[in-house]
Amino acid sequence: MGYGQLFKFHTIPLNNGKTISKKFQNIEKIIAVHSCRNSSDGYGSQEELEIVSLDVNQKEHTFLLQSDIDFDEPSQITIKQRKSNWCKQARSNEVLPSELYSVDVYKKVLAFALDAHREQTTPDGLPYAFHIVSVANEIIHSLSQHYISYDEANVSIACALLHDVVEDTDALFHKYSIYVPFMEMIVEGVHALTKDTTLPTKQEQMQKSLAKLQQMPDCIQMVKLADRITNLAPAPDFWNERKRREYVEEAKEIYEALKNANTYLATKLKEKIENYKVKGDDKYLGFYLNVEDRGFLTLDKSHTKYLKTFKALQRLNAYTMKMYNIALFENHNLQKTFYINSETPIIYKGYKNYPLSFVEEKIENVKHDEKVVHYMGVIYEGEGCVV
């Protein structure tokens, strides 16, 4: 309609105070797009774009969008409703996509996400790409079970691939970061999916995040459902029963808040919640030490300070390895873990249980490093959980 004008159809809800014209409020599906050019006086020309649609009752409606071509003034578009359609059919496959989502958008967004997460890993020690691709795959699988538009699918998949970029990376992320359609909405969605870590408790962070998401379109809300479906795989070895219970309770909150966004994903999340294993016989967790006489350090997973102590040991190990080439444990990320179920785990398969003083001896030469002091302070607070 005029030189240099492009029209795209999408069903993503409007924001920023915009409303849909009353003429279009009942449109359920666009089934054809036709175009033609008319001249009333033989000189000037008028371009018309005809849209044939179905309403919620499957009744057909035809709308005519008219634009006067004037090289000196901006085009003014008028909308009329007509009883029948007669314009020549445009190449509708160029206007309305036949694929479920854009592979080109997927590639561009994934490339940015991989660069942002770089060497980050999952709690299981896998490259972080495994997680974000898994969440995107949940969205893609749902497309055949719960209909959303092409544009909504692209926004949803993009948000799935980018949902942890703001929260977990230092990458600059804004509407010009990636050149894909609806980037402004994708940025809004990613921020809604990002927890506010300035709030004091995880419960408050989750509640605020869910409140923000409930103001977003369904195609963004469903990313949170897909994310928790992916995360409700068997828990990492170092989680204790308290952590598993808290996590599944969070999943229930997510389900209740967002279940209407996508019935397929909501049903799948509910099944994951019902089948999630909370209880276990993993009272102790041990991991191998970097010593010649086969030793391990054991933590009591029922201790109130257990998780903080574990994470402090994990970060201390990574830091001393990176800065001073001092390896406290055999595995850099503490992934070589095993359960010890006895009440007195002193010997396990020939391995000797070591006290916390082992760690103190290993870091003796770097104990004045500020980060080492910080990590050791957290470890001393939870000293009671070291068996």
Side-chain angles (χ1 to χ4, degrees), residues 230-286:
T230 301
N231 287 337
L232 282 179
D237 288 348
F238 66 85
W239 283 19
N240 57 8
E241 185 174 321
R242 180 182 296 137
K243 173 65 176 177
R244 294 192 292 266
R245 190 176 300 281
E246 289 173 353
Y247 202 71
V248 80
E249 288 301 319
E250 276 188 358
K252 291 177 182 178
E253 287 185 52
I254 293 168
Y255 170 79
E256 289 298 331
L258 308 177
K259 61 185 177 183
N260 294 326
N262 186 295
T263 53
Y264 170 76
L265 290 174
T267 300
K268 191 169 183 179
L269 177 57
K270 187 177 181 181
E271 291 174 355
K272 282 275 190 177
I273 292 170
E274 291 171 350
N275 296 321
Y276 191 71
K277 183 181 178 182
V278 173
K279 293 186 177 181
D281 57 357
D282 52 332
K283 184 176 181 182
Y284 299 103
L285 180 136

Side-chain angles (χ1 to χ4, degrees), residues 313-326:
L313 282 166
Q314 185 182 43
R315 289 165 184 165
L316 175 65
N317 182 58
Y319 181 72
T320 57
M321 185 66 189
K322 179 180 179 180
M323 300 301 296
Y324 304 107
N325 200 32
I326 297 175

Side-chain angles (χ1 to χ4, degrees), residues 67-80:
S67 173
D68 291 323
I69 298 178
D70 189 330
F71 294 103
D72 298 321
E73 298 291 336
S75 297
Q76 296 295 319
I77 297 174
T78 57
I79 302 172
K80 297 179 181 179

Side-chain angles (χ1 to χ4, degrees), residues 287-297 317 321 325-332 334 351 354 358 362:
F287 40 88
Y288 300 99
L289 299 173
N290 188 28
V291 291
E292 295 181 0
D293 58 344
R294 306 180 75 191
F296 61 85
L297 192 70
N317 182 58
M321 185 66 189
N325 200 32
I326 297 175
L328 303 176
F329 312 108
E330 277 193 7
N331 188 286
H332 176 64
L334 304 193
Y351 283 74
Y354 274 69
F358 163 81
K362 292 281 285 187

Side-chain angles (χ1 to χ4, degrees), residues 107-275:
K107 288 178 179 179
K108 289 179 179 178
V109 174
L110 178 60
F112 181 89
L114 293 178
D115 184 60
H117 287 287
R118 295 181 182 268
E119 297 179 3
Q120 185 181 348
T121 60
T122 68
D124 294 320
L126 297 170
Y128 208 73
F130 278 78
H131 172 63
I132 59 175
V133 169
S134 294
V135 177
N137 283 345
E138 287 291 345
I139 299 295
I140 293 170
H141 292 160
S142 75
L143 298 180
S144 62
Q145 304 295 323
H146 181 109
Y147 172 78
I148 61 175
S149 72
Y150 176 79
D151 299 304
E152 287 177 305
N154 287 329
V155 168
S156 190
I157 293 167
C159 287
L161 292 170
L162 298 166
H163 74 277
D164 280 333
V165 162
V166 174
E167 189 172 319
D168 294 339
T169 80
D170 296 325
L172 292 175
F173 183 64
H174 46 71
K175 64 180 181 180
Y176 301 114
S177 296
I178 315 168
Y179 291 101
V180 295
F182 303 106
M183 190 58 194
E184 190 170 349
M185 180 167 288
I186 292 167
V187 171
E188 288 183 20
V190 171
H191 281 283
L193 289 159
T194 301
K195 292 192 290 289
D196 183 356
T197 54
T198 63
L199 295 175
T201 67
K202 288 188 175 181
Q203 178 69 15
E204 291 175 281
Q205 293 173 15
M206 177 60 71
Q207 288 176 349
K208 183 176 180 179
S209 177
L210 291 176
K212 286 193 297 181
L213 282 169
Q214 287 176 322
Q215 303 303 312
M216 292 285 111
D218 290 349
C219 62
I220 293 172
Q221 293 185 36
M222 61 192 274
V223 175
K224 190 66 177 179
L225 296 173
D227 181 37
R228 193 47 62 106
I229 288 169
T230 301
N231 287 337
L232 282 179
D237 288 348
F238 66 85
W239 283 19
N240 57 8
E241 185 174 321
R242 180 182 296 137
K243 173 65 176 177
R244 294 192 292 266
R245 190 176 300 281
E246 289 173 353
Y247 202 71
V248 80
E249 288 301 319
E250 276 188 358
K252 291 177 182 178
E253 287 185 52
I254 293 168
Y255 170 79
E256 289 298 331
L258 308 177
K259 61 185 177 183
N260 294 326
N262 186 295
T263 53
Y264 170 76
L265 290 174
T267 300
K268 191 169 183 179
L269 177 57
K270 187 177 181 181
E271 291 174 355
K272 282 275 190 177
I273 292 170
E274 291 171 350
N275 296 321

Side-chain angles (χ1 to χ4, degrees), residues 330-363:
E330 277 193 7
N331 188 286
H332 176 64
N333 290 316
L334 304 193
Q335 298 303 327
K336 275 189 178 177
T337 58
F338 54 87
Y339 296 145
I340 305 172
N341 298 320
S342 66
E343 293 299 322
T344 54
I346 304 303
I347 300 293
Y348 183 81
K349 293 185 178 179
Y351 283 74
K352 177 185 176 183
N353 188 50
Y354 274 69
L356 186 58
S357 58
F358 163 81
V359 175
E360 297 169 338
E361 293 171 5
K362 292 281 285 187
I363 64 167

